[in-house]
Amino acid sequence: MERDVLHRLLSDMLLSRAFEERAAEEYGKGNIVGFLHLYPGEEAVGAGVLNAAAPSDYVVSGYREHAHALMRGTPAREVMAELFGRADGVSGGMGGSMHIFDAERRFMGGYAIVGESYPIAIGIAYAIAMRRLPEAVICFFGDGAVNQGTFHESLNMAALWRLPVLFVCENNHYAIGTEIHRHSAVTEVYKRAAAYNIPAEKVDGMDVSRVYDATRRALDLIRRGGGPQFIECETYRFRGHSMADPGSYRPVAEVKAQMARDPITTAIGEAAIRLPTQAELAEAGADTIARLTARMVEAGHLAEVEMEGLRKAADAVVEDAVQFALHSAEPTMAAAWAHMTCNRRDEVLI
Amino acid sequence: MSEETLYWQALNKAMDTELEADESVFTLGEDVGLVGGSYRATQGLMAKYGEWRVRDTPISEGSFTGLGVGAALVGMRPVVEIMTVNFMLLALDSIINAAAKIPFMSGGQFRMPLVIRVPGGIAKQLGAQHSQRLEHTIMNVPGLRIAVPSTPQDAYWQLRQAIASDEPIILLEHELLYFSKGPLDILAEAPPMHRAANRRPGRDVTIISYSRHALLSAAAAEELAKDGIEAEVIDLRSLKPIDWDTCAASVEKTHHLLIVEEDCRFAGAGAEIAATLGERCFGALDAPATRLAGLDMSTPFNGTLEAASIPQVADIVAAARKLCRPAKTPVAAAAE
Ligand SMILES: Cc1ncc(C[n+]2csc(CCOP(=O)(O)OP(=O)(O)O)c2C)c(N)n1
Ligand SMILES: [Mg+2]
């Protein structure tokens, strides 16, 4: 993989990780209130998919979406201010962490109702198809979300009319506290796409380059008129479902084993010239060692100092975002009313 | 013999008692089993009664609510928990087109002993899609009953009564009440499920409310008392049917009616109450029935705006005061 792509992937993942850990801290301080669903552990999916997308593509996501927005390019300042509920937030403080919208970057929303995003995604895709544009829609959803009726209804229509949608399942094996074996009769999510003749593949969602490559291929097919495509990314969230959830239903051993497959470690490993220490290898777990080592031998694009620089840069962006959010004003009630009637023309109704 | 109990514990106790007493009772919903429910209402019950009677479902509200309808048709007594009222929108077909209508459409051939438990209301900065009240939608559907318990005692009584009933009943529980405390006497005799409760006798103004806002209204009444205004607080407990007699008796005594609701004002429960009592108590009212309600606005995420979008205790106090002691007109003031 090219050096600059790797750098982008790595920077995005580092930014996302730093942003989320800081958001958790700010939540603890009371600066962020409500539901806050964090992304650590799943960065490779967002980074891989979104870096493979074109600026003209659209993105539709769920409630664990502010990391997606960040990686899509929404300024960290505006995302953090939205989490704080401030006027300078990307949704004016009206939406909050689950409802990030950024029209400029074609980030078409965070939706908090599970299963709500598919129909919206195929609607955008329908418009693209009608206008014969070379664009695509990326629709993110979780493993738990594939049990909504809208999943089946939307996949059927997408296939029927060959709509330009890329369905991306972030399979972290849990729907809040319910493990996939207890919520799905078919646990290999990608196989469900076969019911609608949608080409689908499963990729290791802890491996950012695989996610990136798979997305490139899928988007390429879509742009050549191949109709909808489906990617299942196997991943894991390191934290609870949201800040309100300690995640105590998951065995400690399972969480530890998954954390050893940290996608950032994998990406660093891939990009660095440095060989891992014995201790790091042991910690990474047997299955990832082979992958890590082989790639590092081949790649060798990044030095340790540079790595430190990337980390510091991410931290600086996040610190700046927090300061920005803290100093941003509260939105006014007048602004709220203006948003309620933002689509009214010059009629006076009452 | 009453014991201080949390609202969720009262629901849990009611569920436990009914599961124990009747094999046809079962409950299902997202995370009700292993996790014990988002608000703990079913905590510990799967371990006690097993997976078939306390079932974790996939995220499929439309179909698992419909499953409840099907099971009720053949004599089971399902208690469907929909994680929050916002997701009940996905189950409205099963609720409105099936549960509410099958007993009627079949010419009375079927019972519908279905209970749907839903947390709802505005909690703390959960955003527009998770901060709704949908009572207005279901109140308008013939064939449904709606209970709105505001205390642990009512939560206990009304859940048990709902399970025992052969009608489809929706229990609207408020997300901010699960960890509120109150006395629970499991041996006390329950009033009818739809009976309104007079929470505080008073002579000057009747405040009618329900769910969490009934508690805020009671707090407002204490404030008003310091000011010499004695408010009578009626907690409806049931939104369908509404216990009109209890309401009318109070209005006929106080001659002033203030209705307090968290839901949006337009076409909400308050509109129904104002219209019906306005007709029925026209002669007794010294002033038009007044509504204090949520703004007709999607709930803003920002905490300050969120709080400003629904009535707070101070708003209730101000509205009651204004109703009882209307501000003097400039002319009258000048004449004094
Ligand atoms: C229709 C609906 N039902 C239930 C919920 C509550 N809820 C929020 S997230 C979630 C689990 C979703 O799991 P999954 O799709 O796997 O996504 P993940 O959070 O794991 O990324 C549930 C049940 C909801 N938001 N919307
Ligand atoms: Mg999941």
Side-chain angles (χ1 to χ4, degrees):
Chain A
M1 193 173 285
E2 296 149 40
R3 185 177 193 278
D4 64 321
V5 176
L6 273 171
H7 264 256
R8 260 180 18 232
L9 294 171
L10 189 53
S11 308
D12 274 1
M13 290 202 289
L14 288 170
L15 174 63
S16 173
R17 178 70 58 93
F19 187 97
E20 297 292 75
E21 295 300 347
R22 184 62 183 268
E25 236 175 81
E26 297 302 318
Y27 191 92
K29 289 185 207 156
N31 286 328
I32 301 173
V33 184
F35 286 142
L36 179 66
H37 307 82
L38 300 179
Y39 204 55
E42 310 189 22
E43 292 92 348
V45 182
V49 169
L50 293 166
N51 276 288
S56 55
D57 293 335
Y58 293 86
V59 182
V60 181
S61 186
Y63 43 83
R64 202 183 296 287
E65 93 293 16
H66 56 263
H68 290 159
L70 268 182
M71 299 196 220
R72 180 63 178 171
T74 305
R77 284 180 159 199
E78 290 175 36
V79 179
M80 193 63 88
E82 190 59 37
L83 268 50
F84 278 50
R86 302 298 172 95
D88 297 307
V90 66
S91 303
M94 298 298 148
S97 83
M98 304 198 290
H99 305 297
I100 304 280
F101 289 80
D102 183 354
E104 195 184 323
R105 291 171 188 84
R106 300 198 161 182
F107 193 83
M108 307 305 281
Y111 297 90
I113 306 298
V114 170
E116 190 170 47
S117 55
Y118 317 109
I120 292 169
I122 66 166
I124 297 168
Y126 194 90
I128 294 171
M130 276 182 89
R131 294 165 173 160
R132 299 173 188 278
L133 296 168
E135 298 165 352
V137 185
I138 290 160
C139 179
F140 285 107
F141 50 93
D143 52 291
V146 303
N147 294 317
Q148 283 292 25
T150 49
F151 173 80
H152 300 276
E153 294 164 357
S154 297
L155 260 65
N156 181 47
M157 283 187 268
L160 188 62
W161 301 320
R162 297 181 75 78
L163 303 180
V165 194
L166 174 60
F167 294 102
V168 179
C169 179
E170 298 186 288
N171 179 0
N172 60 14
H173 306 270
Y174 282 85
I176 310 187
T178 305
E179 211 239 323
I180 190 163
H181 294 280
R182 300 181 65 250
H183 73 58
S184 282
V186 175
T187 54
E188 287 181 286
V189 176
Y190 77 99
K191 287 188 176 166
R192 294 185 178 217
Y196 305 100
N197 284 339
I198 295 178
E201 71 172 300
K202 168 146 81 175
V203 302
D204 180 355
M206 303 304 260
D207 185 334
V208 70
S209 30
R210 287 187 194 206
V211 175
Y212 177 84
D213 288 340
T215 308
R216 284 285 294 259
R217 282 195 302 275
L219 286 173
D220 197 46
L221 283 171
I222 290 172
R223 286 193 228 289
R224 285 193 280 135
Q229 307 288 317
F230 191 110
I231 299 176
E232 173 190 354
C233 300
E234 273 212 274
T235 182
Y236 199 76
R237 58 170 158 75
F238 292 167
R239 290 176 160 272
H241 171 72
S242 71
M243 288 302 287
D245 170 32
S248 46
Y249 42 80
R250 303 187 303 183
V252 176
E254 176 184 303
V255 178
K256 278 213 172 125
Q258 291 285 353
M259 283 176 111
R261 305 201 304 139
D262 188 331
I264 291 184
T265 316
T266 310
I268 294 168
E270 182 176 74
I273 310 170
R274 185 180 74 92
L275 286 168
T277 64
Q278 280 305 316
E280 282 173 314
L281 285 171
E283 206 184 319
D287 59 340
T288 37
I289 295 174
R291 183 169 70 190
L292 254 164
T293 326
R295 283 203 202 143
M296 284 162 48
V297 171
E298 275 172 57
H301 292 310
L302 189 74
E304 177 73 359
V305 269
E306 258 182 297
M307 183 57 224
E308 240 351 87
L310 288 179
R311 234 190 257 283
K312 286 215 175 93
D315 287 344
V317 169
V318 172
E319 178 58 34
D320 169 72
V322 169
Q323 291 312 318
F324 176 82
L326 279 171
H327 293 100
S328 171
E330 301 244 348
T332 61
M333 195 51 105
W337 282 118
H339 298 313
M340 275 312 291
T341 51
C342 61
N343 292 317
R344 190 159 297 164
R345 302 242 167 96
D346 42 11
E347 304 163 275
V348 176
L349 298 188
I350 34 173
Chain B
M1 240 228 338
S2 72
E3 224 177 295
E4 284 296 298
T5 307
L6 298 174
Y7 190 89
W8 73 261
Q9 288 170 326
L11 288 164
N12 190 278
K13 208 165 269 191
M15 238 3 274
D16 193 3
T17 308
E18 293 297 324
L19 282 164
E20 177 88 59
D22 184 351
E23 292 254 295
S24 60
V25 175
F26 70 104
T27 186
L28 75 165
E30 291 152 23
D31 280 334
V32 299
L34 213 55
V35 171
S38 309
Y39 296 98
R40 305 194 192 168
T42 49
Q43 190 168 286
L45 300 180
M46 188 172 95
K48 195 162 167 192
Y49 298 101
E51 273 201 317
W52 278 94
R53 300 193 63 204
V54 183
R55 176 65 78 186
D56 278 323
T57 63
I59 308 173
S60 311
E61 287 84 359
S63 294
F64 71 67
T65 306
L67 184 159
V69 174
L73 277 178
V74 292
M76 301 298 286
R77 310 193 87 81
V79 179
V80 175
E81 175 180 303
I82 298 180
M83 194 179 263
T84 77
V85 77
N86 311 287
F87 321 143
M88 192 177 75
L89 288 168
L90 285 92
L92 284 183
D93 180 59
S94 294
I95 296 172
I96 298 178
N97 277 324
K101 294 187 177 55
I102 290 171
F104 173 79
M105 295 191 296
S106 65
Q109 295 183 65
F110 293 101
R111 293 184 190 153
M112 190 53 65
L114 171 70
V115 180
I116 300 173
R117 291 188 36 244
V118 262
I122 293 188
K124 285 219 158 56
Q125 286 194 257
L126 302 186
Q129 291 188 326
H130 276 66
S131 311
Q132 312 188 70
R133 304 114 312 183
L134 294 175
E135 45 266 36
H136 54 270
T137 301
I138 45 178
M139 276 180 77
N140 190 250
V141 180
L144 298 177
R145 291 183 61 173
I146 306 166
V148 278
S150 69
T151 65
Q153 183 73 65
D154 281 345
Y156 177 80
W157 276 336
Q158 291 183 304
L159 177 53
R160 291 201 59 190
Q161 289 169 318
I163 294 172
S165 162
D166 284 335
E167 293 181 80
I169 296 171
I170 300 175
L171 237 73
L172 297 177
E173 302 162 4
H174 199 289
E175 288 167 23
L176 290 184
L177 292 181
Y178 286 96
F179 293 92
S180 66
K181 223 178 201 163
L184 172 65
D185 181 351
I186 55 172
L187 298 176
E189 200 187 328
M193 189 169 61
H194 72 286
R195 178 76 66 240
N198 189 334
R199 298 290 186 208
R200 183 189 190 281
R203 54 161 200 269
D204 299 322
V205 55
T206 297
I207 305 180
I208 296 181
S209 190
Y210 59 92
S211 190
R212 174 170 176 255
H213 273 71
L215 306 185
L216 299 191
S217 297
E222 295 312 316
E223 285 296 304
L224 288 161
K226 292 181 198 156
D227 220 17
I229 295 175
E230 291 299 329
E232 180 148 299
V233 179
I234 306 287
D235 179 353
L236 288 177
R237 297 178 71 247
S238 165
L239 281 179
K240 195 176 174 76
I242 286 176
D243 177 5
W244 297 118
D245 287 353
T246 301
C247 297
S250 176
V251 172
E252 273 151 23
K253 182 170 70 175
T254 66
H255 309 288
H256 293 96
L257 172 57
L258 174 65
I259 301 149
V260 180
E261 63 187 323
E262 190 189 90
D263 202 353
C264 298
R265 179 186 173 90
F266 193 83
E272 177 59 38
I273 298 163
T276 302
L277 291 178
E279 284 166 10
R280 183 159 160 178
C281 307
F282 182 70
L285 281 167
D286 284 351
T290 303
R291 280 178 290 158
L292 189 61
L295 300 178
D296 289 312
M297 175 188 273
S298 301
T299 308
F301 171 71
N302 173 271
T304 312
L305 296 185
E306 178 187 68
S309 75
I310 55 171
Q312 304 294 338
V313 173
D315 303 319
I316 304 173
V317 170
R321 209 175 264 155
K322 194 168 156 209
L323 189 60
C324 296
R325 298 182 188 148
K328 297 186 177 79
T329 61
V331 181
E336 258 177 38

